[in-house]
Amino acid sequence: MIALAGYAGIVVAFAGAAALAVQGVRVHRRPELGRAALRIPVWALLGGAVLAMGALEVGLLTHDFSIEYVARNHARATPTLFTIASGWAALEGSIVLWGLVLAGFTFWVYYRFRRGDGLTPLALVVMAAVALFFFGLMLTAANPFATLDPAPADGAGPNPLLQNHILMAVHPPLLYVGFVGFTVPFAFAMSALAGRRPGSAWLEVTRRWSLLAWGFLTVGITLGALWSYAVLGWGGYWAWDPVENASFIPWLVATAFIHSSVVQRRRGMLQAWNVALVIATFALTILGTFLTRSGVVASVHSFTQSAVGPALLAFLGVITVAAFALFAMRAQLVASSPRLDSLASREGVFLLNNLLLALFAFVVLVGTMWPIVVEAFTGDQLSVGRPFFDRAATPLGFALLLAMGIGPVTPYRVARWPVLWERLRLPVQAALVAVAAVVVAGARNVNVLLVVGLATLVIIAILRHLWALARARNGSLLAATGRLVRNDPGYWGGQVSHIGVALVAVAITVSGAFATRVTDAPLSPGESVEFAGYEVAYVAPLFRSERHRDVIGATVELRRGGDVVATLEPRLNDYPNQVQAVPTPAVRVGPVEDIYISLTRIESGDITLDLFRYPLQWLLWAGGLLTAAGAAVPLVLRKRRRDVEAPAAEPARAG
Amino acid sequence: MPAERLRRAAAALVTLAAVMVIGWGLITGSGGSDADRAQSLAGRLRCPTCPNESIADAPSDIGRALRAVIDEQIAAGRTDAEIEDFFVARYGEWVLLDPAPRGLNVWLFALPVGAAAVGVGAIWSRRRQRSPSGSPTTQDGQPVVGADDPRRVRLQEQIAVARADLAAIDVQLAAGEIDGATRERLAEGYRADIAAAEAAMLALRPEAAGRSRRRMVVGTLAFATGAAIVVAGVVVALEPRPEGGFATGGIVTGAADDAPRDLAAVTNDEMEAVVAANPEVTGMRMALARRYLDDGELSKALDHLLVVLEQQPTAEALAYVGWITYLGGEPDLGVRYLERSLDADPDRPEALWFLALAQLETGADPAGTVVLLERLLDNPDLRGDEREMVAQTLEQAREAAS
């Protein structure tokens, strides 16, 4: 019954998408038809998607094991929160969620459609085409409502790694809002090309959607790293795993897009490049889904292998070829004449930023795909891992930080050295003093010195610029700052993100360079081991039987100078549907350092611990969230109409 | 302004001091210790049996064992390159997380470098060419194409951008960001942009209707061809996957003894090579171990069996490991392995047989031995000669028990 309702929802959504594609073309041809002609298809798409997701959740919550998806991913003992999250934790459900988010975005685009807007109808056609693919997938290869007869009495339960932590419930939806959100700028770019409407209108219309998608993608990646840190227990947060890269590559390209779209809106440059970037971003989100969901690269994330893979790859190929073919056919509409007055200018730094980000994305993409490509064509096997990626990421990251420090205070068109130096003198001095302070504190690691210097440069340059501008205005400093930010929320939101990225860079470098690790420390009850100035004492083993799992662990006290600073419980969680227990580390989070304890084995009361100390680890999560928060600034503070129409008023920012 | 000058001098002094401190810091920087070297090496080598983890990150027993191997080799005075070669010889190129730039892998490094060069070249070429000398002539007349012609819309937007630029440079001049001469130079360029766009607008002629349709047909054909190639590529690329696991690593989910093809014609060395290249293919490794057992090369068999245990502790592998351990002088440990094998599969014939033999030899639990052998005789898969041997042994055991 529930399965039938859910399947009906998919059929309705599929039909709605098909009707929307037809009606969108009609409205494009005859604009006088207006919104009314699109209403029923869009509502059908949204309603069908909501029905499908709702039916899946109802099936999970009512333990309807006649649905195969429920039988495979749910058990009666699963806690309610993870039951809800099971709706998107496995392959079929995740595609339903994808479809729902896409339907939501499509509805939103329709909702903002006004008569006289020549871009939206064809953009809705593109979105409908994407929806057709995903709902078509649900109807065939990834049907979430396949049934079992007879229905089993209980199911297998969700993947233990996924039901081991609450973050796994929120991480995928956030990431999907980010991934799917980039369908909107892609659709509008395609609409502008297909409808022969050149110019920057499509960028202006989709700016908020791009920022929203980028913000969610940023939060999603940050929480994904946090999940890896808090759950997987190997003591890290980023492994350059293909599936991590699958979300990072689109993020890099989207970041490049957000920057280069500013150049187009301000100076009319880079029109073709922006179209190329938005196509690439969208294609890479599909590639990311392919890598995650096809099992083509076996990794800690690849839980599934199915017929969905070839379908996604074919869709990726079709989308890419179609989009670039359209792009090539309409190239003359987006070709902009060379307008770069000088390489030493804001535009010049933007170009450098785009070069670095695109190169970064390219290196990660090549490194991720290389083993797959080589194996597919030669049968040879090889690995591309952390050392390869780190070697590329380190110089590129430093160059990006440098550009981030200089770019935002560089004037447009032509930057004269005296003007630039006036704005950079204090930040450079502050950076040198900060590095000297770190040297005095005992650090000798070149990467740490560089990152501290560059991050200080970035942050102080932004604060000095804000201060100088606010001081030049009337009224109190605070009020003037408020008006400045309100006047150009895009710029200042970007600076908030820059500070966030600088903090992330510091956290990555410092926590990596000053990490302390002791692996395989054997302990019997009552024994203790010295670690990083602490005494780690093994008090007793612990055993708890919970509804959906058995918890085997150790109670460990963290002592410093005789005082107990924390009692930690690193555990092995034993799930009935998994042979091997899932190690669950215990972390004491502190303002200076995290102490991270992972239980690797327990045998007749004796345990083996892996101990890690990570300085300033919290800064990574805080910086990641701050980076995302920067995208929220222009979304919350809407720019006043007047400023939108006069984009060239920026030199009021002169320091 | 002496106060300002004083402030600047103080700032310069502080900066100079900071630079000197940094220089001192860089000179006194220390080299890496052996532990750092081991950590770095372990980070560059892939754990052969773990899902996409380096030896440094692998929490499993084999990760532990290989970290110990690295420590030993460093203590023995080997260089990083020698240690890496050692691992490559043992597990194949696959073990390097940072592939060596040789053969096809040169592209892995050449592609990014090439992309960087292309990017720099593209930016360089985007610089404004010197604007045409002399002031542009203003032309009279009206464009002949309609106001909604995309080409005209585009040119009008270019004009609007250049006009906004002209207004903006005056604000920049007033704010001191640029000087008068720069303003003039920029203004000249923007006026030239406007003139060029206006001229281009006047030169526009209505598009021939057929051209756009022909482009459409060509584009669609190109698209269809491209899509066909992509789909064909997918089919070709996905076909040759080895069964039993994905070659780039990961957990093998297939059953242990489903050897994918007839192995009778393959030599042991060939199988070694295959297993070294595909460390995850448990079925193949198990078959190889059985051959070594048949040949009596117990230590070679044990190497592989231990890897199998790491990947997938099957009853069969446990039984063989138990027997070899038992024969190798650790009878207690061997018996424990055999018991674990029976825990996993109470009817495992190898485990029943080996445990019975072990108990007969040590004389422990004669009654239990009889039970074991009786259970073994119940196995319908036993060959005739095997059945005979078991029956004889059962007689012995019954005598010992009575």
Side-chain angles (χ1 to χ4, degrees):
Chain A
M1 187 56 218
I2 296 170
L4 201 64
Y7 199 76
I10 297 173
V11 172
V12 169
F14 185 82
L20 180 59
V22 174
Q23 288 295 81
V25 173
R26 282 188 66 214
V27 174
H28 174 71
R29 292 249 170 89
R30 295 171 55 201
E32 67 275 11
L33 290 174
R35 278 165 62 109
L38 303 172
R39 191 190 307 130
I40 295 171
V42 167
W43 275 104
L45 175 60
L46 182 66
V50 170
L51 181 60
M53 191 78 237
L56 196 58
E57 290 296 349
V58 169
L60 286 163
L61 289 167
T62 59
H63 314 299
D64 185 348
F65 295 112
S66 69
I67 302 173
E68 194 186 338
Y69 182 86
V70 177
R72 274 194 289 114
N73 299 294
H74 174 67
R76 288 183 191 277
T78 311
T80 308
L81 176 73
F82 293 112
T83 302
I84 295 170
S86 297
W88 51 78
L91 174 70
E92 293 87 355
S94 75
I95 290 177
V96 176
L97 179 68
W98 184 291
L100 176 64
V101 176
L102 182 59
F105 271 110
T106 310
F107 185 83
W108 193 3
V109 169
Y110 156 80
Y111 182 77
R112 293 179 54 91
F113 173 45
R114 294 287 176 270
R115 195 174 287 271
D117 164 4
L119 284 170
T120 302
L122 283 186
L124 283 170
V125 173
V126 175
M127 297 186 77
V130 178
L132 270 179
F133 169 76
F134 279 100
F135 284 99
L137 206 57
M138 288 178 231
L139 287 177
T140 53
N143 177 13
F145 295 107
T147 51
L148 289 175
D149 191 27
D154 200 351
N159 185 312
L161 274 181
L162 303 183
Q163 62 171 320
N164 214 23
H165 202 283
I166 178 160
L167 273 176
M168 214 48 214
V170 290
H171 163 67
L174 292 172
L175 213 53
Y176 278 17
V177 172
F179 269 15
V180 181
F182 284 112
T183 314
V184 180
F186 169 75
F188 273 87
M190 291 301 100
S191 165
L193 289 179
R196 294 162 64 74
R197 287 170 186 276
S200 303
W202 71 272
L203 271 180
E204 293 289 351
V205 176
T206 57
R207 184 170 150 73
R208 295 168 66 78
W209 276 301
S210 306
L211 284 173
L212 183 84
W214 183 86
F216 272 95
L217 195 54
T218 310
V219 176
I221 293 173
T222 306
L223 293 187
L226 181 56
W227 175 77
S228 178
Y229 180 75
V231 177
L232 293 184
W234 57 281
Y237 50 87
W238 190 263
W240 293 108
D241 182 275
V243 177
E244 289 166 342
N245 297 349
S247 63
F248 187 53
I249 302 168
W251 184 88
L252 286 169
V253 179
T255 310
F257 170 64
I258 282 175
H259 284 90
S260 74
S261 71
V262 175
V263 183
Q264 176 173 345
R265 288 166 62 243
R266 291 266 188 182
R267 296 294 325 276
M269 294 161 56
L270 299 181
Q271 303 198 3
W273 177 239
N274 276 320
V275 175
L277 280 182
V278 84
I279 295 173
T281 305
F282 178 70
L284 288 167
T285 61
I286 303 294
L287 178 73
T289 315
F290 167 68
L291 289 178
T292 323
R293 289 300 172 188
S294 69
V296 68
V297 267
S299 79
V300 279
H301 292 258
S302 294
F303 301 113
T304 44
Q305 298 164 11
S306 84
V308 172
L312 275 168
L313 192 59
F315 180 62
L316 173 68
V318 169
I319 280 284
T320 315
V321 172
F324 277 107
L326 182 62
F327 181 35
M329 278 162 60
R330 297 282 195 261
Q332 80 279 11
L333 286 184
V334 287
S336 41
S337 51
R339 304 201 72 236
L340 185 62
D341 295 304
S342 162
L343 278 176
S345 63
R346 176 85 62 89
E347 301 91 311
V349 187
F350 268 125
L351 286 178
L352 176 68
N353 144 300
N354 261 251
L355 174 66
L356 293 170
L357 283 170
L359 197 59
F360 201 159
F362 185 70
V363 173
V364 180
L365 179 67
V366 169
T368 307
M369 301 304 292
W370 191 248
I372 302 171
V373 172
V374 167
E375 194 217 332
F377 288 102
T378 69
D380 292 343
Q381 295 178 322
L382 57 99
S383 316
V384 178
R386 177 183 288 285
F388 175 85
F389 292 111
D390 277 354
R391 187 174 47 234
T394 310
L396 286 170
F398 284 136
L400 278 168
L401 275 179
L402 184 65
M404 213 183 286
I406 296 171
V409 299
T410 307
Y412 276 99
R413 298 181 185 83
V414 176
R416 288 186 307 136
W417 177 245
V419 173
L420 201 54
W421 178 238
E422 174 68 26
R423 296 175 187 185
L424 286 175
R425 194 183 64 233
L426 178 69
V428 168
Q429 288 170 343
L432 289 172
V433 170
V435 176
V438 176
V439 167
V440 169
R444 292 293 183 276
N445 184 307
V446 176
N447 285 347
V448 170
L449 301 187
L450 266 172
V451 85
V452 165
L454 289 171
T456 313
L457 177 76
V458 170
I459 294 170
I460 299 297
I462 292 165
L463 296 181
R464 194 216 70 93
H465 197 49
L466 181 64
W467 179 75
L469 290 180
R471 201 183 48 161
R473 295 200 157 204
N474 300 327
S476 74
L477 214 55
L478 201 66
T481 307
R483 264 179 291 135
L484 264 178
V485 173
R486 190 163 282 280
N487 215 24
D488 198 352
Y491 175 84
W492 293 107
Q495 302 319 305
V496 171
S497 292
H498 283 178
I499 294 176
V501 172
L503 296 181
V504 166
V506 170
I508 290 172
T509 317
V510 169
S511 83
F514 296 128
T516 319
R517 45 191 289 160
V518 170
T519 45
D520 313 328
L523 287 173
S524 298
E527 286 184 349
S528 64
V529 59
E530 288 292 324
F531 174 71
Y534 293 90
E535 191 189 347
V536 180
Y538 173 30
V539 180
L542 78 98
F543 181 85
R544 261 202 317 271
S545 194
E546 292 176 4
R547 216 155 74 89
H548 60 304
R549 64 183 182 194
D550 288 336
V551 175
I552 308 152
T555 306
V556 174
E557 278 182 0
L558 198 61
R559 301 189 190 130
R560 179 161 233 169
D563 300 331
V564 175
V565 259
T567 305
L568 298 173
E569 290 183 355
R571 298 171 306 186
L572 297 166
N573 291 341
D574 211 354
Y575 291 87
N577 61 349
Q578 176 98 351
V579 186
Q580 287 202 320
V582 181
T584 307
V587 188
R588 186 217 172 213
V589 179
V592 179
E593 60 195 12
D594 279 13
I595 298 294
Y596 183 111
I597 299 181
S598 186
L599 178 66
T600 55
R601 61 162 60 181
I602 179 162
E603 228 169 80
S604 56
D606 294 341
I607 57 170
T608 310
L609 295 179
D610 282 354
L611 306 164
F612 304 89
R613 182 189 73 105
Y614 294 112
L616 294 185
Q617 189 66 43
W618 64 272
L619 205 54
L620 183 60
W621 325 125
L625 295 181
L626 191 65
T627 308
V633 174
L635 294 178
V636 175
L637 302 174
R638 299 208 62 165
K639 209 170 179 179
R640 275 173 263 157
R641 259 353 275 174
R642 188 167 49 81
D643 298 326
V644 175
E645 280 152 20
E650 100 283 343
R653 273 201 228 107
Chain B
M1 207 195 283
E4 171 70 13
R5 199 179 287 172
L6 208 64
R7 206 175 54 80
R8 290 206 168 192
L13 268 180
V14 171
T15 312
L16 189 67
V19 170
M20 287 166 68
V21 169
I22 296 168
W24 167 75
L26 289 178
I27 292 165
T28 56
S30 59
S33 65
D34 275 359
D36 291 343
R37 254 186 78 199
Q39 174 70 22
S40 151
L41 260 172
R44 291 205 297 275
L45 296 167
R46 183 172 187 154
C47 167
T49 59
C50 316
N52 197 20
E53 282 175 319
S54 70
I55 292 175
D57 294 331
S60 64
D61 289 339
I62 191 138
R64 228 182 302 275
L66 293 176
R67 283 197 291 272
V69 170
I70 293 176
D71 289 341
E72 280 167 24
Q73 303 230 347
I74 286 179
R78 300 229 193 156
T79 66
D80 286 7
E82 284 170 350
I83 298 174
E84 282 183 8
D85 289 345
F86 169 83
F87 275 91
V88 170
R90 213 164 155 187
Y91 298 103
E93 285 278 328
W94 181 83
V95 80
L96 295 178
L97 281 171
D98 193 7
R102 43 178 182 243
L104 208 55
N105 285 346
V106 170
W107 287 101
L108 182 59
F109 299 85
L111 280 173
V113 172
V118 168
V120 170
I123 290 183
W124 195 253
S125 70
R126 294 307 289 172
R127 284 174 316 141
R128 179 187 285 281
Q129 313 302 315
R130 289 240 52 90
S131 48
S133 54
S135 67
T137 53
T138 42
Q139 292 167 344
D140 296 326
Q142 282 294 313
V144 295
V145 297
D148 57 349
D149 184 288
R151 295 165 299 164
R152 185 170 163 185
V153 171
R154 179 174 154 261
L155 289 167
Q156 261 160 351
E157 196 175 277
Q158 283 178 8
I159 292 170
V161 169
R163 291 223 167 100
D165 279 329
L166 278 173
I169 52 177
D170 285 336
V171 186
Q172 278 188 300
L173 179 68
E177 278 196 340
I178 55 174
D179 55 20
T182 312
R183 189 212 158 272
E184 281 313 312
R185 182 168 65 78
L186 293 175
E188 196 184 318
Y190 300 144
R191 282 195 293 265
D193 283 349
I194 295 173
E198 281 173 343
M201 204 152 28
L202 287 176
L204 285 179
R205 292 289 167 268
E207 262 185 311
R211 216 173 128 236
S212 133
R213 181 145 300 168
R214 203 164 55 241
R215 272 169 185 273
M216 204 69 166
V217 172
V218 171
T220 313
L221 276 179
F223 165 57
T225 319
I229 292 171
V230 166
V231 171
V234 169
V235 174
V236 171
L238 291 185
E239 215 59 75
R241 271 282 145 80
E243 280 180 38
F246 284 99
T248 41
I251 305 154
V252 174
T253 49
D257 45 6
D258 60 352
R261 52 197 131 106
D262 180 28
L263 298 169
V266 186
T267 68
N268 287 3
D269 288 346
E270 281 169 351
M271 280 175 81
E272 276 289 359
V274 174
V275 171
N278 304 272
E280 327 272 277
V281 184
T282 311
M284 171 83 79
R285 193 185 289 281
M286 198 63 214
L288 180 57
R290 271 186 228 113
R291 285 185 170 202
Y292 281 131
L293 282 172
D294 291 345
D295 299 348
E297 299 193 56
L298 296 188
S299 70
K300 279 188 180 172
L302 187 60
D303 280 349
H304 288 293
L305 287 168
L306 286 175
V307 178
V308 171
L309 280 193
E310 192 72 49
Q311 292 169 337
Q312 213 177 15
T314 60
E316 187 189 9
L318 281 165
Y320 282 126
V321 171
W323 186 234
I324 296 172
T325 317
Y326 179 85
L327 296 178
E330 295 201 56
D332 293 347
L333 186 61
V335 166
R336 274 218 294 283
Y337 269 115
L338 292 169
E339 284 167 354
R340 264 179 67 196
S341 169
L342 286 177
D343 285 346
D345 176 5
D347 293 319
R348 189 76 224 169
E350 294 90 347
L352 290 168
W353 177 241
F354 293 146
L355 190 56
L357 289 185
Q359 287 182 350
L360 266 182
E361 195 173 298
T362 53
D365 190 15
T369 315
V370 172
V371 176
L372 289 174
L373 290 169
E374 281 172 353
R375 209 190 301 160
L376 183 55
L377 270 184
D378 288 344
N379 190 330
D381 297 338
L382 236 47
R383 288 199 310 266
D385 54 332
E386 289 172 341
R387 192 170 290 281
E388 207 167 304
M389 194 158 68
V390 175
Q392 282 175 10
T393 318
L394 181 59
E395 286 305 313
Q396 283 180 28
R398 286 209 171 111
E399 278 170 30
S402 59

